[in-house]
Amino acid sequence: MIKIIAVLCSLSSPANCHEQIVTTSDFANISVQSCLTGAPQLAEWMNQHPAERLAAWRCVIGQQNGRGI
């Protein structure tokens, strides 16, 4: 399993950031390469959430939860 985890910041409060699982390979066709280069799923997700700014993202491979996610 590959998870895309985004660091999102509120446009109204730029210091207010949080991590969010954008998608996993269970729900979308995500390869390690597409995740590392900025998967199209990120762009689609951001279009649906215009009040937030993408500060960073990371890929998590496997079943581990990562940083508290």
Side-chain angles (χ1 to χ4, degrees):
M1 177 188 321
I2 301 171
K3 295 179 191 174
I4 299 174
I5 300 175
V7 177
L8 304 167
C9 301
S10 170
L11 290 178
S12 61
S13 179
N16 183 14
C17 299
H18 65 280
E19 289 187 339
Q20 172 79 38
I21 295 175
V22 173
T23 190
T24 68
S25 57
D26 290 343
F27 302 108
N29 186 19
I30 303 170
S31 68
V32 173
Q33 183 66 29
S34 68
C35 188
L36 294 174
T37 59
Q41 291 84 0
L42 277 170
E44 181 180 327
W45 197 89
M46 291 306 299
N47 283 338
Q48 297 171 7
H49 299 83
E52 297 183 296
R53 175 184 64 85
L54 178 65
W57 79 88
R58 61 190 168 92
C59 304
V60 176
I61 300 169
Q63 295 294 332
Q64 75 270 20
N65 288 336
R67 300 179 193 160
I69 299 290

